[in-house]
Amino acid sequence: MAELTCREAVAAAIAQEMRRDPSVVFLGEDIGAAGGVFKTTVGLFEEFGPDRVRDTPISEQAIVGAAMGAAMTGLRPIAELMFSDFFAVCWDLVANEIAKSRYMTNGQVSFPLVIRSANGGGARFGAQHSQAIENWAMMIPGLKVVAPSNPADIVGLLAASIRDPDPVVFFEQKSLYGTKGAVPDGEHVDTLGTAKVVREGSDATIVALAAMVPRAAEAADRLAEEGISCKVIDVRTLVPLDTQTILSAVSETGRLFTVEENPRLCGWGAEISSIASEECFYDLDGPIVRITTPHIPLPSADNLEDLALPSVERIAETVRVNMG
Amino acid sequence: MANATEEARPDLANDDIGEEARLALWRSQLEIRHVEQRAHDLFLQNLVKGTVHLSLGQEAVAAGFAVAMEEGDYTFCTYRGHAHTLARGASMSGVLGELMGRECGLLNGKGGSMHLTSVEHGAMGSYAIIGAHLPIAMGAAWSAQYRGTSQVSVCFFGDGTTNIGAFHEALNMAQVWKLPVIFVCENNLYMEYTPIGDVTAVEHPAADRAQAYGMDSIIVDGNDADAVYRVARAAYEKARSGGGPSLIEAKTYRQCGHSRADPGAYRPDEEVAEWLARDPIPAYRRRLLDFGFAETAVDGIETEVLAAVDAATDVARSSPPPPREILETEVYADGGAAWRN
Ligand SMILES: Cc1ncc(C[n+]2csc(CCOP(=O)(O)OP(=O)(O)O)c2C)c(N)n1
Ligand SMILES: [Mg+2]
């Protein structure tokens, strides 16, 4: 087991897949010699050269469109969007073209591609460089959506995304880039559509994603000291969604809390909450509670951003009050 | 600036296009014309729903590029894409059936008129969001370059499309990467209902932008299939030999409105009359006769095409609606639509 940071895990996963499959190519802004603005692609240009690791102009539509055209003609491109907020300038390609063309052509075309991007808040970048937009992607039929929380999952799920025959939007939480964790030695490939129980517990289930996973786990530690035992689930992939793992935990514990970084309306937790209330209502001992960022653009100042994002304290307090 | 309007040179022996290609150009234009007219008729009979965007009057552009193409090349086009899809060899019944929402449609009724695709023929899709397919076509060219094939990617779009960002992003990146892609602007003088000159900073919406991306300004008479064929041949040659992308502006005119909802009343009568007089199809027939092709042979091709359109219409009309079982298929590569376990 090697200790890697999340940013090193990104480069390790891409390198692992580029070594085994020459049809994997990688494009984006400043990803080559510069090694990426978040240093997530260091060493790839040197190892694989400019034909496979291609620096692009600041042209998000061209980047994502090129990935689509390449994917439908035999390559497995990985496109990087520097910040996930920039999906907004190429959303047509993502939501109208890549996501829908298989269905519209009744299966004539396939898009084995990955769009990976630095997502989420915590870095004081303000409202246009901090959004958590997993729910934007989740609502579009035809996309798969992955948002890992630790280095091992980044390697395993990014490798699985690159090998997947469908288009995958892969979110890397930028405030986690410096976080370290053990990554299995040798080739590591995980399975999309599988959630993970990261902490066992019997009184309540807390479902979290990406940067909210370590916070939910820490809140659960604090609550345990007070005698409230929480099971914590890392959703890992929103599409496909591992409802089996989530629903069986809800049935076991009788309570469900979701912890979402996105603004309140139409967050992924709302979907999980609706599924749970339809399918295991009679196992619930109390209301499902969503813990989210308020419905606001993210502010920049340290104290305001910290207030906005679900914190360990807010998660623990919300569970405590609702379990009381 | 290359202005490639051509005079007929009635000397088949020294002809650079040749008998076979000339007849292919003739047949292709006729196929498009008669399928489009049939689509129009079927719309009036309420058998084609939604909308259709016809290429009546623009047939020479599709025919000229398609006949000069090689089998593995890629075509990307717009919602005004029946012509380009047919020109690559997709079946008439597949096209008409798709317009009518029938099982025999190219997309089994899931796409409709604006999304015709036939990957087996190299027709890589019809895209209905303005500009989207320029980057996609550029990506297919990147793939061909990376895989080391001689394939060329050809992207057709309208004059109005030159004012959207994706056009500029795609042209720049295609040139920087020296990609084998040909961007073909079918300048039919109007975006939807607005004259292109009213909303564009330069006179020639594509050609005047070419220089900004290190490309030649090429304007061709889009109502002359031979002229289009020649320009296309040169651009393929350049793309296949590593010379990079081309941008070609083909001047043409749609003889109908923008879509079925549009009678096209905003167009001056004289303008319509002038362009009807330049209808590419009778002009090409005259040229073939000037070249000495037998009238019976030339008109025989039209008779064959009309019979094929009738037969395709019958196939499409008797095809059932798509089975309801396909409603939730092919969202994902496993063939299904499951987003959860
Ligand atoms: C992004 C976007 N904006 C607007 C439209 C609506 N629209 C459809 S066709 C069209 C006109 C396009 O003009 P042009 O590129 O000249 O093509 P033509 O229809 O003349 O072939 C417009 C505005 C659209 N489909 N996509
Ligand atoms: Mg136009």
Side-chain angles (χ1 to χ4, degrees), chain A residues 6 34 39 55 61 66 76 108 120-121 127 176 217 228 231-232 238 241 251 256 266 274 290 295 313 320-321:
Chain A
C6 284
K39 297 287 171 240
D55 279 318
Q61 296 183 79
R76 288 184 175 270
Q108 287 189 49
L176 294 177
I228 303 173
K231 193 194 269 283
V232 177
L238 290 173
L241 185 63
S251 295
L256 172 60
C266 302
S274 129
R290 291 178 58 210
H295 206 60
E313 291 70 28
R320 191 181 295 125
V321 167

Side-chain angles (χ1 to χ4, degrees), chain B residues 137-184:
Chain B
M138 181 265 289
W142 172 39
S143 158
Q145 181 193 64
Y146 179 79
R147 289 180 286 110
T149 72
S150 64
Q151 292 164 293
V152 176
S153 180
V154 189
C155 184
F156 300 94
F157 52 90
D159 43 280
T161 304
T162 64
N163 290 326
I164 203 163
F167 167 88
H168 299 271
E169 291 193 13
L171 261 68
N172 181 61
M173 208 153 114
Q175 181 67 289
V176 174
W177 291 7
K178 285 280 174 290
L179 297 179
V181 55
I182 303 172
F183 298 103
V184 183

Side-chain angles (χ1 to χ4, degrees), chain A residues 17-34:
Chain A
E17 295 309 300
M18 290 187 82
R19 279 178 206 131
R20 75 180 273 279
D21 182 353
S23 71
V24 177
V25 289
F26 180 30
L27 79 167
E29 295 160 19
D30 300 321
I31 62 161

Side-chain angles (χ1 to χ4, degrees), chain B residues 122-133:
Chain B
M124 304 302 286
S126 305
Y127 297 80
I129 311 292
I130 297 296
H133 64 312

Side-chain angles (χ1 to χ4, degrees), chain A residues 184-199:
Chain A
D185 294 326
E187 193 178 272
H188 179 45
V189 188
D190 209 325
T191 309
L192 301 187
T194 54
K196 236 189 215 165
V197 177
V198 294
R199 191 186 195 290

Side-chain angles (χ1 to χ4, degrees), chain A residues 210-235:
Chain A
M212 297 299 106
V213 174
R215 294 185 188 198
E218 198 183 326
D221 288 343
R222 292 193 195 176
L223 290 161
E225 289 164 16
E226 304 164 22
I228 303 173
S229 164
C230 295
K231 193 194 269 283
V232 177
I233 293 180
D234 182 349
V235 187

